Amino acid sequence: MLLNKLMPLGIPLAWLNLIKEKKRFFAAVAGITFAVTMMMFQMGLNSALFKQVVGPHAEMAADIFMVSSQYEYLGVSKGFPLRRLVQAEGEPGVAQTVPLYVGSLPMLNTANRSTREVFIMAWDPAVQAFDDEEIESQRWKLKREGVALYDRLSRPELGPFVQEVDETGEAVTEVANRRMAIEGLFSISPTFVADGNMLTSADTFLPLWPGGDPSVVSLGLIRLEPGTDPAAVVAGLTDYLPDDVRVYTRQAFLDYEMQYWRERTPIGFVITASMAVALIVGAVIVYQILYTDVNDHLEEYATLKSIGFRDSYFTSVILQESVILSVFGFIPGTLFTWVLFYFTRQIAHMATYLSLLNCAIIFGLTLFMCLTAGALATRKLRHANPAEIF
């Protein structure tokens, strides 16, 4: 019954109208494909960027994080007294605390003798600080002073260390003009803070860090006993400890870090603006195609209107064309995005993947874009007088 109402002539008029001018049809599909690709790529890039910025945090073996009250983000991690972690160990439910020291230091690229900043995270390798199995299996190497593990996903501009470790098992460089032996690899990926990551022991890192003091901690990792409520422990520590530290549950800390980059950098605005531009461009292209289609068939529509067809029928035809265009543009747009995501993962080492949620959102935006353009394109037809047309 519904199908008969939508197509009373018994033929898919919307489809026939579109394919009558094949060049125009493919131009419309190409425009929508561009809009879909741009929107979906920007959305995937946005998700990947903010996942990447908390890449190191997500690998840390902690249920609760302790930071300085002046903490901004991991790359600018102002320290707090080590005794705050010692005090936290007295809180019911706390199983272990691990002080972490972080900072960026210049590292020598042995291939071209240039230097670039590498982000270093250091702790006592006698205890676990990361949940990553690759790091956990190699942390014993860090017990020797001057030994480090290196992120294989670091940008190649830092040096050929990944290839050297793969081939010989070791790469030698200089960090802050001190010899450093890289004896293992792990995978976290670069962040906004630095182009690459390195892990060392606190005994190796602190002499390199200006004014390095083991009693001043950059980040405190707190692990809880099984079954303990993290929110309750955070509340207890917040009431108990002085105001020179802040305490977060794991998820709250990750959210805080991502929120910092969303608010303090133009990344979120740029990506949103790019999606808006793609939406507008796509809508304009669809509007022009459908408006031209209405003009080309105005006499036929007027004939049908004169014998009793209502405006709602013509509107439904144009909106059907809008839906067809959105589907035909969405499919290749998704495929192109998948290809772009693949190359982005290979070249930039960013976790860009298609997700059902993102696909659903982009299809909804595409459908909205096409239907809006279609509705605007029918204005001339709705106000047309058959007598005037003939």
Side-chain angles (χ1 to χ4, degrees), residues 214-236:
S215 67
V216 179
V217 180
S218 303
L219 187 65
L221 311 182
I222 302 175
R223 284 197 287 275
L224 304 179
E225 296 173 353
T228 304
D229 181 13
V233 176
V234 166

Side-chain angles (χ1 to χ4, degrees), residues 46-279:
N46 181 68
S47 300
L49 281 171
F50 288 108
K51 285 180 182 177
Q52 190 175 43
V53 79
V54 295
H57 315 60
E59 297 294 337
M60 294 175 186
D63 301 301
I64 291 174
F65 291 87
M66 182 182 293
V67 297
S68 166
S69 59
Q70 301 180 52
Y71 179 90
E72 293 184 49
Y73 62 93
L74 191 60
V76 181
S77 184
K78 297 180 180 179
F80 63 89
L82 175 62
R83 63 178 177 274
R84 298 292 177 252
L85 282 178
V86 177
Q87 290 173 296
E89 291 178 351
E91 181 72 15
V94 173
Q96 187 181 40
T97 63
V98 180
L100 196 71
Y101 306 89
V102 304
S104 294
L105 290 172
M107 183 174 69
L108 177 68
N109 182 335
T110 53
N112 58 21
R113 310 304 296 177
S114 64
T115 59
R116 294 185 71 129
E117 296 283 307
V118 63
F119 186 66
I120 301 178
M121 294 171 280
W123 79 104
D124 180 1
V127 297
Q128 180 182 2
F130 293 85
D131 278 328
D132 185 272
E133 293 183 4
E134 199 170 23
I135 296 173
E136 183 64 12
S137 66
Q138 299 182 88
R139 65 180 165 92
W140 60 270
K141 298 178 182 178
L142 303 181
K143 293 181 180 180
R144 301 198 311 276
E145 194 169 340
V147 174
L149 303 179
Y150 184 71
D151 189 352
R152 63 166 54 85
L153 300 180
S154 298
R155 305 197 191 284
E157 293 82 4
L158 269 70
F161 309 119
V162 175
Q163 181 179 357
E164 291 178 11
V165 173
D166 284 336
E167 292 177 354
T168 66
E170 183 183 71
V172 178
T173 183
E174 291 181 5
V175 174
N177 297 318
R178 295 277 193 94
R179 183 183 186 276
M180 186 74 72
I182 299 172
E183 296 190 0
L185 302 172
F186 61 96
S187 300
I188 288 181
S189 82
T191 66
F192 296 154
V193 176
D195 292 330
N197 301 299
M198 180 178 281
L199 303 178
T200 69
S201 68
D203 291 339
T204 297
F205 172 73
L206 290 173
L208 305 178
W209 188 251
D213 184 352
S215 67
V216 179
V217 180
S218 303
L219 187 65
L221 311 182
I222 302 175
R223 284 197 287 275
L224 304 179
E225 296 173 353
T228 304
D229 181 13
V233 176
V234 166
L237 290 174
T238 301
D239 292 339
Y240 170 62
L241 296 174
D243 294 337
D244 57 354
V245 293
R246 300 199 304 263
V247 188
Y248 296 94
T249 63
R250 182 181 183 84
Q251 189 57 52
F253 186 59
L254 298 181
D255 292 342
Y256 170 88
E257 195 83 7
M258 287 189 285
Q259 188 66 25
Y260 175 90
W261 290 102
R262 285 194 182 99
E263 293 180 352
R264 302 294 181 90
T265 65
I267 294 170
F269 170 78
V270 169
I271 289 176
T272 302
S274 299
M275 291 180 62
V277 169
L279 195 68

Side-chain angles (χ1 to χ4, degrees), residues 318-358:
I318 302 303
L319 294 182
Q320 286 176 54
E321 292 182 21
S322 301
V323 173
I324 292 171
L325 288 174
S326 65
V327 172
F328 272 78
F330 178 78
I331 294 172
T334 303
L335 294 176
F336 280 130
T337 305
W338 182 87
V339 173
L340 287 174
F341 281 171
Y342 173 79
F343 284 110
T344 303
R345 290 196 302 271
Q346 298 301 312
I347 297 171
H349 303 298
M350 297 182 66
T352 48
Y353 295 94
L354 287 175
S355 71
L356 289 176
L357 177 60
N358 284 357

